[in-house]
Amino acid sequence: MNMKLKKIYSILFVLFISLFGCCCYINNIQHQLNKRKLQAENAQNLVNNNRDWKKEFPLDQQQDKRASFSLGGELRNNLKYFIDIIDGCLKIHAPLRMTFVEIGHKLGEMFSSKTLFDGQSVVRFSNGYLGYIIKEKHSYHEEGLRAVNFGQYVESLGIKFCFILCPSKFSKFKDDFPKGLVNSTNNNADTFMDILYKNNIKALDLRENLHKDFPNHFDAFFKTDHHWKPETGLWATQQITKWMNNRLAANLDESVISPDRFNYKVYPKIFLGSQGKKLSLSLTEPEDFTVITPKYETDFEFEIYCRGIKKSGPFETALLDSSNLSRDYYNITTYNTYLGFDDPVVRITNKKTDSKTRILLIKDSYAMVVAPFLALEAKEVYLVDVRKDQIKYFDGSLKKLIKHLKPDIAACLYNVSNFSPVNPTEKDILAFQ
């Protein structure tokens, strides 16, 4: 090979390495931005209409210890908001950015046989499904006792309390994740649930129900996202309703959420989940997404307190956001078709029911495809989000909020993936105070 040809190959090699490095760098930035994208798009509304929950329902002095972490949290939120603005500009002025990201991922797959992605947090199963892995173990003794004390306080007000545990893609009953990986997801949740059981807190573990009703555990979940499907959310609502009627005398009408009383409209290849966004379309494929609506007449009022939004009308108008049914894979969160966003406090009022039951649900995002169906059989459903990793969350006293609202049932719904001991003071998802 002559010197001139060697020089050409050297230049091409350097260009290839440089392009690969740029793609990986851009991809890492994209990973950090995806989670906050839609919140940032609505940040101005959140600021203009935000309510000061901490002022309305102030924490006791002892409870307010976690405020020492609030400054760092605000700085992080402001920084992420600033990054999101830059991200929006890049989308306008650098339209080929995701193309380079996809190329970078494809090149990475060609030169690596890894099963973990995104800083060792996203794992790919042999069947192609993606999941978030939690390696760290934690006793959850303190958190469990905090939940017990909170439940006992709620019961002392004459309000029924329960904890509902939702499964993740990592089955408790099958060792189906890639060999050689340690996953503490279910072990962490087990230790927490044991504390509740030992202290006589009413709790429903949906992992067992799912194992019985879904022979293939993965059928209940999206392939490219950590959430369960809307169909699974409806199934979960049926399980929760039966359990609440039996254990809490909730007096909910199970017939209105019978599967045959709904229309199911499938939007083919419209959904790319958060994990799929991380890996990009070069390594994943879009999925179908189902919109489930009642066949019978409905009338709701849906109020989002922090944004001053109030919607009224039938199920599909008040509780669904059709703007998320767009084939814009990187910029739209299709899962948010149900209810819209994770807001600090919302209220759903059913104007077409004879039920008198009022439910307050302390929730994570799994409840987005449960609460709309639960609202079909209750008079009112309040949704409260205390997760500190949200751009806006309820930072006041849950005890005072519940005492003020006086629901018939106060329930907590979390999925097992929340039991991650990484930065517990920052997430504080179980902020029972």
Side-chain angles (χ1 to χ4, degrees), residues 33 35-47 50-51 53 70 73-85 306-307 341-344 385-395:
L33 296 175
K35 188 175 182 180
R36 298 290 175 174
K37 193 180 311 109
L38 285 179
Q39 289 101 327
E41 291 172 359
N42 291 272
Q44 193 60 50
N45 282 334
L46 286 170
V47 171
N50 185 43
R51 288 174 64 170
W53 299 108
S70 62
E74 287 299 318
L75 289 173
R76 280 191 301 274
N77 284 338
N78 291 335
L79 178 60
K80 288 175 181 176
Y81 175 56
F82 177 71
I83 291 175
D84 286 331
I85 294 175
C306 71
R307 288 191 278 153
F341 296 93
D342 288 303
D343 288 287
D385 200 326
V386 298
R387 293 173 297 161
K388 294 184 70 174
D389 58 349
Q390 300 298 301
I391 195 168
K392 292 293 178 183
Y393 62 94
F394 180 79
D395 58 357

Side-chain angles (χ1 to χ4, degrees), residues 99-266:
T99 300
F100 286 119
V101 170
E102 291 171 3
I103 293 172
H105 275 306
K106 199 63 180 177
L107 292 174
E109 184 185 46
M110 291 169 58
F111 292 101
S112 173
S113 59
K114 65 181 181 179
T115 57
L116 285 169
F117 304 86
D118 182 38
Q120 307 295 297
S121 66
V122 179
V123 63
R124 179 153 54 188
F125 295 83
S126 59
N127 58 8
Y129 277 74
L130 304 174
Y132 290 127
I133 192 167
I134 296 173
K135 300 177 183 179
E136 299 82 5
K137 290 185 179 181
H138 185 55
S139 69
Y140 278 94
H141 181 74
E142 180 182 347
E143 293 86 347
L145 291 180
R146 198 164 11 131
V148 169
N149 292 334
F150 178 79
Q152 291 172 345
Y153 169 80
V154 172
E155 294 277 357
S156 74
L157 299 175
I159 299 169
K160 298 164 185 175
F161 176 78
C162 66
F163 188 95
I164 301 164
L165 181 68
C166 304
S168 74
K169 278 190 225 179
F170 293 94
S171 174
K172 175 182 176 179
F173 306 95
K174 294 181 180 179
D175 183 9
D176 50 13
F177 54 92
K179 299 299 181 183
L181 295 180
V182 176
N183 180 33
S184 300
T185 302
N186 287 293
N187 290 334
N188 287 342
D190 285 341
T191 58
F192 178 85
M193 294 297 285
D194 286 342
I195 295 170
L196 300 189
Y197 293 139
K198 289 176 182 177
N199 288 275
N200 299 315
I201 296 295
K202 296 181 180 66
L204 169 63
D205 190 340
L206 284 173
R207 292 177 298 176
E208 299 177 4
N209 302 55
L210 191 82
H211 181 63
K212 293 176 183 176
D213 292 351
F214 288 79
N216 181 359
H217 179 84
F218 289 97
D219 288 343
F221 300 90
F222 288 109
K223 192 172 186 178
T224 64
D225 196 72
H226 61 289
H227 291 112
W228 52 14
K229 297 177 180 178
E231 297 92 326
T232 317
L234 176 58
W235 166 88
T237 309
Q238 295 159 2
Q239 304 298 311
I240 293 168
T241 299
K242 291 177 184 177
W243 185 85
M244 281 188 170
N245 283 342
N246 291 333
R247 296 295 304 277
L248 305 178
N251 195 29
L252 299 171
D253 184 1
E254 298 178 33
S255 67
V256 300
I257 57 169
S258 176
D260 61 354
R261 301 199 66 183
F262 291 91
N263 295 310
Y264 302 82
K265 184 174 181 179
V266 178

Side-chain angles (χ1 to χ4, degrees), residues 391-406:
I391 195 168
K392 292 293 178 183
Y393 62 94
F394 180 79
D395 58 357
S397 169
L398 268 176
K399 291 181 178 180
K400 292 178 181 177
L401 178 67
I402 290 175
K403 187 175 182 179
H404 172 73
L405 294 176
K406 296 182 175 66

Side-chain angles (χ1 to χ4, degrees), residues 33-39 41-42 222 225-227 270-275 277 289 321-342 365 368:
L33 296 175
N34 276 333
K35 188 175 182 180
R36 298 290 175 174
K37 193 180 311 109
L38 285 179
Q39 289 101 327
E41 291 172 359
N42 291 272
F222 288 109
D225 196 72
H226 61 289
H227 291 112
I270 195 175
F271 180 84
L272 184 67
S274 60
Q275 295 157 341
K277 286 179 171 67
F289 186 82
D321 186 350
S322 59
S323 66
N324 291 307
L325 293 171
S326 171
R327 199 170 272 103
D328 187 354
Y329 297 119
Y330 296 117
N331 301 314
I332 292 292
T333 302
T334 312
Y335 186 78
N336 287 345
T337 297
Y338 292 86
L339 296 185
F341 296 93
D342 288 303
S365 56
M368 302 291 276

